[in-house]
Amino acid sequence: MRSPLFSPRWIGIHLVALLVAAVCVAGTAWQFARAFEPDREVITNPAEDLADAVPLEGLLEPGEYLHPDSFANTAVTVSGRYAPEDLLLVPRQQDGVRGHDVILPLVTAEGAAVTIGRGWVPEGAEIPEVTTDEVTVTGWLLPPVKDGGFTPIATEEGTIERIATSLLVNEWDHPLYEGYVVLPEGDPAAEGLTPVPPPEPPTGLTVNWRSLSYTVQWAMFGVSGMVFWILTMRRELADARDDAGAPSASEEAPAGEDQPAAAGS
């Protein structure tokens, strides 16, 4: 006997069920990917093109707080004179090699100073001198380096624990702009040093809880549809078996039972 699940009506039901399953799988996968993709708000402040550099004095005033989400990694330009006598070294390992970041103030015509990160040198290496003529530099503005919660170590004379305005104000006799500017490769003050590029923008994954909830909803809807489809097919098959096993009209009379006598016998 032909299965009732291959009737035209059931073929249409099968096609609808498969379509629902495909849509639910696609919706679940799409929302799951959105839930764990890099959040647009996390990828903030990528390093700007130096060709788009803007004057630092137009962004900040000396002593003004530098909010990392506002100006960090901004390409800036600033003019002034280096103060080589105030050069400081910041201990830092690079690729497992001990060395120092080289910083010094660039004093503007107004008397305020900008911390300039010239680059990195291995320990014991000679540091090239810089010009004392007025220069205009272009680089990336970065926020002060946080302490990271560790106990400060004793530093030698001419060194400082980290590049932070809160520490540098005790070393230099100038009003300071918050943060510091790192120089690109090719700047005269960076010659002979290893350039320190601005940090890459953060790309950590964050959970988009709204999309994750949609993922669960799509999955539950798809599972519910499949369960309903299977139960409906089982019910249809059970009904077909019951119909096939039901006795016919001729079989309903009990065997051996006498038939009514003919009239007049």
Side-chain angles (χ1 to χ4, degrees):
M1 184 181 68
R2 182 181 179 184
S3 172
L5 300 182
F6 292 105
S7 66
R9 178 176 70 89
W10 268 101
I11 290 176
I13 294 176
H14 295 329
L15 293 176
V16 171
L18 293 175
L19 178 61
V20 170
V23 170
C24 290
V25 169
T28 301
W30 175 54
Q31 291 296 343
F32 184 83
R34 284 180 55 86
F36 292 97
E37 69 181 358
D39 195 308
R40 300 299 186 273
E41 295 179 357
V42 172
I43 307 178
T44 57
N45 303 318
E48 295 183 351
D49 193 324
L50 292 179
D52 300 324
V54 297
L56 176 63
E57 57 269 20
L59 294 178
L60 291 173
E61 294 291 335
E64 181 181 352
Y65 174 65
L66 172 64
H67 196 292
D69 292 337
S70 300
F71 301 124
N73 282 347
T74 300
V76 297
T77 180
V78 59
S79 298
R81 296 177 183 271
Y82 288 119
E85 68 278 5
D86 289 330
L87 183 145
L88 290 172
L89 301 178
V90 185
R92 182 174 66 86
Q93 289 191 5
Q94 181 163 298
D95 298 328
V97 179
R98 298 178 63 179
H100 299 88
D101 288 320
V102 181
I103 63 172
L104 80 171
L106 178 70
V107 184
T108 65
E110 292 75 20
V114 182
T115 304
I116 301 295
R118 295 177 56 189
W120 180 88
V121 293
E123 195 171 60
E126 183 179 354
I127 301 173
E129 296 183 355
V130 293
T131 180
T132 56
D133 296 335
E134 183 171 355
V135 295
T136 298
V137 301
T138 301
W140 294 279
L141 178 63
L142 300 181
V145 177
K146 297 181 180 180
D147 60 13
F150 57 81
T151 303
I153 60 175
T155 53
E156 301 175 0
E157 184 178 357
T159 65
I160 193 167
E161 175 195 341
R162 53 193 169 86
I163 309 175
T165 312
S166 59
L167 301 179
L168 293 173
V169 293
N170 300 318
E171 302 288 338
W172 297 336
D173 296 328
H174 307 284
L176 295 179
Y177 284 91
E178 186 80 359
Y180 64 107
V181 175
V182 292
L183 300 179
E185 185 176 5
D187 188 284
E191 290 184 2
L193 290 83
T194 302
V196 180
E200 294 293 328
T203 57
L205 296 181
T206 59
V207 178
N208 184 328
W209 295 105
R210 176 178 296 181
S211 292
L212 188 60
S213 67
Y214 291 157
T215 300
V216 175
Q217 293 176 32
W218 274 110
M220 291 180 62
F221 183 74
V223 171
S224 299
M226 292 301 97
V227 170
F228 179 78
W229 180 35
I230 294 172
L231 292 177
T232 304
M233 287 192 294
R234 293 184 61 181
R235 186 180 299 112
E236 182 73 13
L237 291 174
D239 291 344
R241 285 195 298 268
D242 291 343
D243 292 342
S248 62
S250 60
E251 297 174 342
E252 289 182 356
E257 184 175 335
D258 295 336
Q259 298 296 325
S265 61

